[in-house]
Structures are given as structure tokens and as C-alpha cells.
Amino acid sequence: MIQRIYWKSVLRKSVGFRNFLLAVILLSSLCVNNTYSQTVDEIFQNFKQAYEKSDNFSANFEETTLLSNRKSVARGRFIFGKPNLLRKEYVDRKDASKVVQITVLDGEYAWTYTPILNQVNKMKWNNPERRELLPGIGASLEDVQTNYDMVLVPDEFANPKGVHQIELTPKKDPKDQLMNAGVKEKLLIWVKSDEWLPVQFGYESELEDGTRQSVIVALTEIKRDTELAPDLFKFVVPEDAEVINLSEN
């Protein structure tokens, strides 16, 4: 009699636990579905509008690069202003106050200075009116929906926090020999729905021989529309620095 009562109790607990699990699973699925009530086009449009309303955007970054089995991590800070103004500084891994490389886009030229080499690379900015997702990553904001296929990538941890991951894959162009040769690439951007600004972005590529490369840039201390120094996006060539004009190649 005691044994029968014990098994009834265990059965009730087991059924109750299963019902609890089902309720948790159902609630989780509802949260994910609610997060994805917007389409990828709507989310991207919100991001685009937030960009258009912003005069400038700044953040600290951690850049992780994977090439085959090799991994490297770089850190720094950047500020960009519309339409194509950028100041990006890489800092020493042990001393964040020490700049090891700086890139400046002034709207006409791209300048990259490496202090340890005392060398400057200069390159003509081909289209000053081109507005990028983030200056320097190569995708024009206006051209995205025309030149890329966009999909949302579900993430059960990020989505409930209001973070959406958009995967951008270039549409095939019959004239693009590199793409037709078997090169696969895609852009990734993570957008947070509170202000519709990017919190992370990345690039992935795979060559025909299977070689893979990925770059993920995570952003922290994000700020928008702060007062900037008037000469922030002006580059002055350091004294005695060697200047390599890549525009002539």
C-alpha cells in the first residue's frame, strides 16, 4: 500500500515537471516569435533611419580575426561621421594609451599611419558620396538591398535582449569573375532595437581551396552625436614620415 502511494506521488511530480517544462518551452518560443515579429527589411530600415538621423557614431572595439587555424585579437577605438569620415585607432595590447596604428578617412583620401615604421599609406577615396554601413567595411548603405540578399539569423540568447543579427550575402553578378570562381563571402551585422544602432559586425569569406577567414568586431561604450574636435578627421603627415601613394598603383 505504501509503495503504491509512493509511485502515485512520483507520477504526479513527474507529470507536473513535464508540464512545467512544456510551459517553459512554450514561453521561450513565444518570446522568440515576438522578437521576430519584424521582417529583416523592417529591421534594416530601422537601422538605416537611425543612421540617417545620426551625425556621428563612436565606440571602443575588439577585432577578432580567424584565418584557417590562426587567431588574432586587436583592440582600439573609432569615430565616424557622415558621410565618409573616419578615425580609427589600434592600441597596444598592454597599454591602451599607446596608438600602434591610425587610419583616417577625410572624405577624399584614406590615410593609414604606422608609428613604429614612421610610414603613411595614402589612397584616393573613389566615391566621396558613397555612404557605407560603417566606413571602411566596403558595403554602401544605399546599395545593400539591391546588391545583397538579407536574412535574419535566429539567436535564442540575443533576440530576447533586442539584438537582431542580419546576414548579408552578395547577389551573384555574371560579370563578377571572383564570385564566379567560387569565392564565398558575407557580411554580418548585429543591431540592437533600443536605438537601432550596430553593436557588432563582421565579415566572412571562403576561397575555392577551402581557406576561410572571418573578422568579428564587437563594440562597447557606444556613443552617438557627441561634440567632436573640428580637426578630428584631418590627417597631418608626421615629420620625416615615408608616404606611399597607393592611388598611383
Side-chain angles (χ1 to χ4, degrees):
M1 182 67 176
I2 294 175
Q3 185 176 10
R4 187 177 300 171
I5 293 172
Y6 170 77
W7 283 114
K8 284 183 179 179
S9 175
V10 170
L11 183 62
R12 288 193 190 98
K13 290 179 180 178
S14 177
V15 171
F17 182 67
R18 286 201 302 271
N19 289 339
F20 172 74
L21 281 180
L22 288 173
V24 169
I25 293 171
L26 179 60
L27 182 60
S28 299
S29 65
L30 286 174
C31 288
V32 172
N33 288 337
N34 285 336
T35 303
Y36 271 87
S37 60
Q38 292 180 295
T39 67
V40 65
D41 289 321
E42 290 171 335
I43 290 173
F44 183 81
Q45 189 63 29
N46 287 332
F47 161 62
K48 184 177 178 180
Q49 289 176 352
Y51 173 90
E52 290 171 346
K53 292 178 181 178
S54 303
D55 290 326
N56 61 67
F57 176 84
S58 62
N60 292 343
F61 68 86
E62 181 175 276
E63 183 178 286
T64 303
T65 301
L66 296 173
L67 179 59
S68 298
N69 294 322
R70 291 174 294 177
K71 176 182 177 180
S72 63
V73 178
R75 296 177 178 85
R77 47 190 173 263
F78 74 86
I79 301 172
F80 83 86
K82 291 171 23 179
N84 284 306
L85 303 173
L86 173 71
R87 185 180 186 91
K88 186 176 184 180
E89 299 176 348
Y90 287 92
V91 299
D92 186 84
R93 287 182 296 178
K94 295 181 179 180
D95 183 1
S97 65
K98 183 180 179 180
V99 177
V100 297
Q101 190 177 77
I102 179 172
T103 296
V104 175
L105 275 63
D106 61 13
E108 185 178 2
Y109 290 97
W111 308 82
T112 298
Y113 174 55
T114 306
I116 194 171
L117 301 175
N118 200 23
Q119 186 180 86
V120 177
N121 290 336
K122 175 184 177 183
M123 181 180 294
K124 180 74 174 178
W125 195 246
N126 292 329
N127 186 355
E129 299 304 319
R130 176 186 171 117
R131 293 190 300 169
E132 306 217 337
L133 287 173
L134 287 175
I137 71 169
S140 169
L141 190 62
E142 286 87 353
D143 298 343
V144 165
Q145 289 165 303
T146 301
N147 297 333
Y148 288 82
D149 291 319
M150 299 191 302
V151 296
L152 285 176
V153 179
D155 188 321
E156 61 180 317
F157 299 105
N159 297 154
K161 297 178 182 180
V163 177
H164 308 276
Q165 180 183 344
I166 303 175
E167 182 180 286
L168 307 166
T169 306
K171 295 180 180 178
K172 289 190 175 182
D173 183 350
K175 299 179 182 179
D176 192 334
Q177 296 181 356
L178 189 62
M179 182 178 292
N180 295 334
V183 177
K184 300 177 182 177
E185 61 178 356
K186 59 184 176 182
L187 296 173
L188 303 167
I189 181 166
W190 287 258
V191 181
K192 195 170 183 181
S193 58
D194 54 355
E195 293 187 336
W196 297 109
L197 294 175
V199 293
Q200 184 170 285
F201 58 94
Y203 169 80
E204 295 181 5
S205 67
E206 181 179 352
L207 301 180
E208 195 172 11
D209 63 2
T211 302
R212 295 183 178 182
Q213 180 181 12
S214 68
V215 180
I216 298 294
V217 181
L219 308 181
T220 57
E221 297 187 31
I222 300 169
K223 297 178 182 178
R224 182 172 67 171
D225 294 339
T226 58
E227 186 174 350
L228 304 178
D231 60 347
L232 187 67
F233 302 113
K234 294 180 181 179
F235 182 78
V236 178
V237 178
E239 186 177 357
D240 298 328
E242 178 188 11
V243 179
I244 301 174
N245 193 345
L246 300 176
S247 302
E248 296 176 352
N249 297 336

